[in-house]
Amino acid sequence: MGAAPGPQPPPAAPSPARPTTGRSTTEQGLQHIWQKRGWAAWALWPAALLYGALVALRRTLYRTGLLRSEHPGRPVIVVGNVIAGGAGKTPVVIALVQHLQAQGLQVGVISRGYGRSTHDCRAVLPESPASEVGDEPALIARTFAGTAPLPVFVAPRRITAARALLAAHPGTDVIVCDDGLQHLALKRNLEICIFNDQGVGNGWLLPAGPLREPWPRRVDFVLHAGTTAPGGTTAPAFGMQRRLAPWAVRSDGSQVPLAQLRGQPLHALAAVARPGDFFAMLRSEGLTLEHTEALPDHYDFNSWKRPPDARQAVICTEKDAVKLWALHPEALAVPLAVQIDPPFFYALDMKLSALRAKVAAHRPPLSSPPA
């Protein structure tokens, strides 16, 4: 990630924030409720029981074959989480793809493309509008635009995306699914479960807690940002650290060292699940955030207005920039990367090597993607 930042100035006073939307306020309120078993969480407990019953019923339907689950015929690695909100899945997908490509493997990525305006199956190109393919797939495709080409496909059903990807790129060795731990219609070979530093929170299911499904559950690997892995699982657990790159990126691809932005008044915005984390990381780099603006996750920015004070440069996440640059190309984006404990990649390579041989021996013929 480059050299460590120089001496830091004294902590700045809390930055005033622009008004946020009702949805953003609700998301932040739930994140607070989910961290303990207080009265608000208890009030939502009956709804969590109903949600848990539905999750169990759905799993039973897939397990008994009443709902169909399909495999695309290549090793499938699902990167997901069991908690609602941001856990850093997309940076992990990017790091995973970079590692697999370095091993000489042809990799493809599939996703639902959450928040997009379209509902078909399509390839994601580096120039694809995020509004049509989803902000996270767009970010992944653009990340690899200048290096090894990476096929990325989105579809409401991941198996549809996988089939389309393989029809267009039959030499693909491994498919990485960005999110989809709960998408049981896609059979998978390896599951990587991501946790942020808050772990499982109060340990309850939605809406009383952050869990999308009961934990612990069987997965192949756990990656966690906190100092310790969530308890109850026998899966190998490895630490990861989320860090900002030491530079910001302009819409033309040029870079501005963060050190050059110190002392300048900045308007920081984030349309991610945990915007406060992004703001805190910017401040830790010694940047002066004159205003912060938290927006709903996957916000489209169509109605967003730039602050009237021209002195304030707008700074945002890379995920936001893939949509914001179309309207405000002057915004600066700071990449977020993860550093994963190296033993994780060794353990992954060992499992994947055996899997590739096993899957190849039972590979069904490719079927044509839907028209």
Side-chain angles (χ1 to χ4, degrees), residues 76-93 109-114 136-137 140 155 158 175-184 186 188 190-194 212-213 297-298 319:
V76 175
I77 304 174
V78 172
V79 179
N81 58 9
V82 295
I83 60 170
K89 295 184 297 293
T90 301
V92 170
V93 168
V109 171
I110 58 174
S111 173
R112 182 177 65 163
Y114 183 85
E136 288 151 343
I140 292 170
R158 273 76 161 189
I175 295 174
V176 177
C177 182
D178 182 20
D179 206 0
L181 209 59
Q182 291 79 38
H183 186 74
L184 303 180
L186 175 70
R188 68 288 309 268
L190 292 176
E191 292 184 325
I192 303 172
C193 188
I194 314 298
R212 297 176 176 177
E213 57 181 315
D297 197 7
H298 302 285
K319 174 181 164 181

Side-chain angles (χ1 to χ4, degrees), residues 358-369:
K358 182 178 179 181
V359 171
H362 299 86
R363 179 178 298 169
L366 287 177
S367 58
S368 300

Side-chain angles (χ1 to χ4, degrees), residues 320-339:
D320 297 324
V322 296
K323 291 174 289 189
L324 186 61
W325 276 337
L327 303 169
H328 300 275
E330 77 282 0
L332 298 171
V334 185
L336 175 66
V338 294
Q339 290 185 333

Side-chain angles (χ1 to χ4, degrees), residues 334-359:
V334 185
L336 175 66
V338 294
Q339 290 185 333
I340 303 173
D341 290 348
F344 162 75
F345 292 109
Y346 175 79
L348 175 71
D349 291 344
M350 295 293 289
K351 278 204 170 189
L352 189 57
S353 177
L355 268 175
R356 290 184 63 212
K358 182 178 179 181
V359 171

Side-chain angles (χ1 to χ4, degrees), residues 50-325:
L50 175 60
Y51 175 83
L54 294 175
V55 169
L57 174 62
R58 182 169 172 272
R59 280 198 168 274
T60 299
L61 293 175
Y62 275 104
R63 187 170 58 249
T64 58
L66 293 176
L67 290 179
R68 188 180 179 190
S69 183
E70 302 176 67
H71 195 282
R74 300 289 192 281
V76 175
I77 304 174
V78 172
V79 179
N81 58 9
V82 295
I83 60 170
K89 295 184 297 293
T90 301
V92 170
V93 168
I94 291 172
L96 184 61
V97 170
Q98 291 171 336
H99 171 78
L100 295 174
Q101 288 182 336
Q103 308 306 305
L105 298 177
Q106 299 297 312
V107 188
V109 171
I110 58 174
S111 173
R112 182 177 65 163
Y114 183 85
R116 63 190 176 116
S117 60
T118 57
H119 304 283
D120 58 353
C121 174
R122 63 174 62 193
V124 182
L125 305 176
E127 63 272 16
S128 295
S131 61
E132 297 180 2
V133 298
D135 46 21
E136 288 151 343
L139 173 58
I140 292 170
R142 294 180 192 190
T143 298
F144 291 89
T147 56
L150 176 70
V152 181
F153 278 73
V154 294
R157 299 181 72 245
R158 273 76 161 189
I159 186 63
T160 304
R163 286 173 173 164
L165 188 154
L166 292 175
H169 304 273
T172 300
D173 298 308
V174 182
I175 295 174
V176 177
C177 182
D178 182 20
D179 206 0
L181 209 59
Q182 291 79 38
H183 186 74
L184 303 180
L186 175 70
K187 287 185 178 179
R188 68 288 309 268
N189 302 98
L190 292 176
E191 292 184 325
I192 303 172
C193 188
I194 314 298
F195 287 94
N196 59 36
D197 54 8
Q198 294 181 340
V200 297
N202 62 16
W204 284 350
L205 293 173
L206 293 167
L211 292 179
R212 297 176 176 177
E213 57 181 315
W215 181 264
R217 57 154 285 190
R218 183 195 174 280
V219 295
D220 295 282
F221 298 103
V222 168
L223 294 179
H224 60 94
T227 54
T228 58
T233 179
T234 59
F238 303 89
M240 67 176 188
Q241 297 79 42
R242 298 188 300 168
R243 297 180 179 177
L244 297 180
W247 61 81
V249 183
R250 298 187 182 97
S251 58
D252 63 3
S254 60
Q255 297 178 355
V256 181
L258 292 185
Q260 290 186 12
L261 300 176
R262 291 175 186 157
Q264 299 183 29
L266 301 174
H267 180 97
L269 61 84
V272 295
R274 299 176 66 191
D277 290 359
F278 178 63
F279 302 148
M281 285 190 282
L282 290 175
R283 291 190 179 102
S284 72
E285 294 293 332
L287 302 187
T288 302
L289 307 187
E290 192 154 313
H291 291 89
T292 61
E293 186 173 5
L295 296 165
D297 197 7
H298 302 285
Y299 184 68
D300 60 17
F301 291 98
N302 288 333
S303 60
W304 184 81
K305 297 186 181 299
R306 194 193 190 285
D309 189 346
R311 297 180 307 110
Q312 298 177 22
V314 175
I315 193 164
C316 64
T317 71
E318 267 194 314
K319 174 181 164 181
D320 297 324
V322 296
K323 291 174 289 189
L324 186 61
W325 276 337

